[in-house]
Amino acid sequence: MSRLNLGYGTNGLTDLRLDDALALLADLGYDGVGLTLDHMHLDPLAADLAARTARLARRLDRLGLQVTVETGGRYVLDSRRKHAPTLLDEDEDARGMRVRLLIRALRVAADLGAHAVHCFSGVTPAETDPDTAWKRLADTLEPVLDVAEETGVPLAIEPEPGHLLGDLAGFHRLRADLGDPPPLGLTLDIGHCQCLEPLPPADCVRDAAPWLKHVQIEDMRRGVHEHLPFGEGEIDFPPVLAALAGTGYQGLTVVELPRHSHAGPELAAHSLHFLRNGGTG
């Protein structure tokens, strides 16, 4: 079985400067980092993004950290609406803002040597019927997938509870709607599997293995979409970690605790100890 490459998400370290967050993770012994593009770390809208990205690439190389680029910044595009606009927005220009963010993320990821770029569909607008929403999602993603193919960086879409693409079945629908394009991969969030998938998380891992490009991990309870530190939810982690290792997945498995930044350094240390000990603490 493969050894898992473990990372920690910068969206759970927002109280730290990026340089300090990266040094912390390297010192603790993490293999990499899930880098959320946002104003407090690497701002995707900054005029000097290229120079900042080049500096970051050198920093990651010196620290020996791998990276996956994540695009879940809450207010990165709209300072008043969380995660807005999305790929499903009624307004074409608004959808274009999200498309440009993802394309920029793919180019940043290529410059950083990242495993993948993470994204999500967004919530279906109230005035949009489901079939229209699915067609809009596929159409809007096409130019993004063209850039993913050009850069050689997979686009890994995440099933997100409450979104149009909310579960693994939704991922497979999108994949079929797009004609199964090679650049389209999957971000599998282990907590989300516990929250709403019909199969246990370990079975979800095995079923999703052919499309895995990014993995997020945290504890969670059934039916409650709340990211929890390990040991505070209901997930049986040893079978999950064994399933991940058994797939041969070589990307990052990133701890995802975006609402626990206040305790980020302590939770980063605890999480690594928990996962390196096979999910038993």
Side-chain angles (χ1 to χ4, degrees):
M1 291 194 299
S2 300
R3 174 186 181 275
L4 295 180
N5 293 312
L6 299 177
Y8 200 92
T10 60
N11 61 359
L13 296 169
T14 55
D15 291 272
L16 277 66
R17 297 177 183 88
L18 182 57
D19 275 355
D20 293 338
L22 297 177
L24 169 73
L25 298 182
D27 288 347
L28 288 172
Y30 277 94
D31 302 295
V33 59
L35 175 68
T36 295
L37 300 183
D38 212 340
H39 66 88
M40 76 289 290
H41 286 148
L42 187 64
D43 186 349
L45 305 184
D48 61 344
L49 178 62
R52 292 187 187 192
T53 301
R55 287 195 297 272
L56 176 57
R58 294 191 293 270
R59 177 74 167 153
L60 290 167
D61 184 62
R62 286 194 299 270
L63 293 172
L65 291 173
Q66 304 170 48
V67 62
T68 300
V69 173
E70 304 197 356
T71 61
R74 293 186 181 95
Y75 296 97
V76 68
L77 293 177
D78 188 321
S79 63
R80 301 190 180 195
R81 295 187 301 149
K82 180 181 175 182
H83 294 318
T86 75
L87 295 167
L88 299 175
D89 203 287
E90 283 284 324
D91 182 76
E92 183 177 0
D93 291 339
R95 295 197 302 275
M97 292 175 63
R98 180 62 60 173
V99 167
R100 288 190 292 275
L101 174 67
L102 294 179
I103 289 174
R104 185 167 290 196
L106 285 163
R107 300 204 186 282
V108 166
D111 290 342
L112 295 177
H115 294 296
V117 166
H118 146 279
C119 70
F120 44 68
S121 69
V123 176
T124 305
E127 61 273 26
T128 303
D129 66 85
D131 287 341
T132 298
W134 281 108
K135 184 177 188 309
R136 184 179 296 160
L137 178 61
D139 290 348
T140 306
L141 278 177
E142 284 186 350
V144 182
L145 290 167
D146 287 343
V147 176
E149 185 168 22
E150 172 197 326
T151 59
V153 178
L155 184 72
I157 195 162
E158 177 187 7
E160 183 77 22
H163 286 208
L164 173 69
L165 198 160
D167 53 20
L168 287 170
F171 169 72
H172 290 301
R173 172 169 179 167
L174 176 66
R175 190 169 60 83
D177 288 349
L178 285 165
D180 200 14
L184 180 67
L186 173 68
T187 292
L188 186 69
D189 187 304
I190 301 303
H192 295 175
C193 296
Q194 175 70 21
C195 180
L196 54 72
E197 293 288 348
L199 294 175
D203 289 342
C204 292
V205 169
R206 286 184 282 268
D207 287 354
W211 301 278
L212 279 184
K213 299 300 179 184
H214 184 41
V215 174
Q216 298 171 344
I217 192 165
E218 70 285 317
D219 216 340
M220 202 169 286
R221 300 185 183 97
R222 185 71 178 169
V224 182
H225 184 203
E226 181 183 3
H227 292 232
L228 299 171
F230 297 115
E232 296 186 14
E234 301 170 342
I235 298 177
D236 182 14
F237 280 99
V240 173
L241 299 177
L244 276 171
T247 68
Y249 168 70
Q250 292 296 297
L252 285 173
T253 297
V254 172
V255 179
E256 185 81 359
L257 292 172
R259 296 187 180 180
H260 292 76
S261 186
H262 61 282
E266 294 84 0
L267 282 172
H270 166 72
S271 298
L272 186 64
H273 176 79
F274 180 89
L275 294 171
R276 287 286 182 233
N277 280 277
T280 59

